[in-house]
Amino acid sequence: MKIRPAKVGDVPTIYELIRTFADRKVMIRRSLGELYESIREFFVAVDEDGRVVGCAALHVFWEDLAELKCLAVSESMHGRGVGRKLVDACWDAARDMDLDTVFTLTYVPEFFERCGYRQIDKAELPHKIWNECVRCPLFPNCNETALIRTAEPAVEAVREAFAAAAASR
Ligand SMILES: CC(C)(COP(=O)(O)OP(=O)(O)OC[C@H]1O[C@@H](n2cnc3c(N)ncnc32)[C@H](O)[C@@H]1OP(=O)(O)O)[C@@H](O)C(=O)NCCC(=O)NCCS
């Protein structure tokens, strides 16, 4: 299983993945058009046979803020660390762009806490992020929880040292 930036050809699979969970009302549905337009924001998880089994996107809002969104893993692959790998890939991409805060809105806060995020009050998020929510049928009464991950210098230094050591092996 590997994580790679998404390709245009992945869009139909990403669309189906998100649609499955959107039908259960745990994600917002995305149109094919939206996905093609934002495909550069996506990472996908690919299994040994080259099949896309998960996706996530990192959307930059401002000089100091990005959102992790569209996270979905095929049901048959749940519980195998795929979701965490996608979350980590988005975080690494944010850090590569010198962003040190990523937030997410989710119905699975416990999962994100396992991945280094902490819960915050939604009101702490800047107004500009609600543009997309305004289009959602559940707005403003959805029960999504807001979480953020921020770079802490000491923790980041240790993480980077481990990553460098692993890469040199
Ligand atoms: C949420 C989701 C992405 C998790 O993916 P996954 O590949 O099964 O998760 P992982 O195997 O990487 O799990 C990482 C950790 O989170 C925990 N975890 C996974 N799903 C969890 C959940 N629903 N609730 C609480 N903890 C969860 C795992 O036990 C694991 O814990 P560990 O630190 O002890 O190892 C996946 O269940 C999914 O696609 N759900 C439907 C879509 C969705 O809700 N997306 C989020 C919208 S923002």
Side-chain angles (χ1 to χ4, degrees), residues 26 71 104-114 119 143-145 147:
V26 295
L71 172 67
T104 194
L105 292 163
T106 183
Y107 292 112
V108 284
E110 298 84 2
F111 163 77
F112 280 97
E113 284 174 338
R114 306 295 303 174
Q119 292 195 29
N143 293 323
E144 284 188 319
T145 302
L147 298 98

Side-chain angles (χ1 to χ4, degrees), residues 32-67:
L32 283 169
E34 277 178 278
L35 294 176
Y36 281 117
E37 282 178 20
S38 58
I39 193 64
R40 281 172 178 273
E41 299 182 349
F42 275 81
F43 291 91
V44 289
V46 180
D47 72 9
E48 292 71 20
D49 300 319
R51 283 186 299 241
V52 170
V53 294
C55 62
L58 183 78
H59 177 73
V60 178
F61 268 100
W62 207 247
E63 61 178 3
D64 55 356
L65 188 67
E67 179 182 12

Side-chain angles (χ1 to χ4, degrees), residues 5-117:
K7 301 179 186 190
V8 171
D10 299 325
V11 165
T13 313
I14 294 172
Y15 173 82
E16 283 304 325
L17 251 177
I18 294 175
R19 192 187 57 80
T20 305
F21 295 113
D23 285 350
R24 297 180 204 169
K25 305 207 183 320
V26 295
M27 291 185 78
I28 298 176
R29 183 185 279 265
R30 309 283 167 177
S31 68
L32 283 169
E34 277 178 278
L35 294 176
Y36 281 117
E37 282 178 20
S38 58
I39 193 64
R40 281 172 178 273
E41 299 182 349
F42 275 81
F43 291 91
V44 289
V46 180
D47 72 9
E48 292 71 20
D49 300 319
R51 283 186 299 241
V52 170
V53 294
C55 62
L58 183 78
H59 177 73
V60 178
F61 268 100
W62 207 247
E63 61 178 3
D64 55 356
L65 188 67
E67 179 182 12
L68 190 164
K69 56 201 263 189
C70 298
L71 172 67
V73 173
S74 297
E75 209 144 24
S76 62
M77 295 295 283
H78 283 184
R80 300 193 202 179
V82 179
R84 188 202 300 278
K85 284 199 170 111
L86 285 161
V87 169
D88 286 347
C90 290
W91 176 249
D92 290 345
R95 298 298 292 133
D96 285 348
M97 284 189 278
D98 289 341
L99 283 159
D100 58 14
T101 305
V102 175
F103 76 93
T104 194
L105 292 163
T106 183
Y107 292 112
V108 284
E110 298 84 2
F111 163 77
F112 280 97
E113 284 174 338
R114 306 295 303 174
C115 297
Y117 281 69

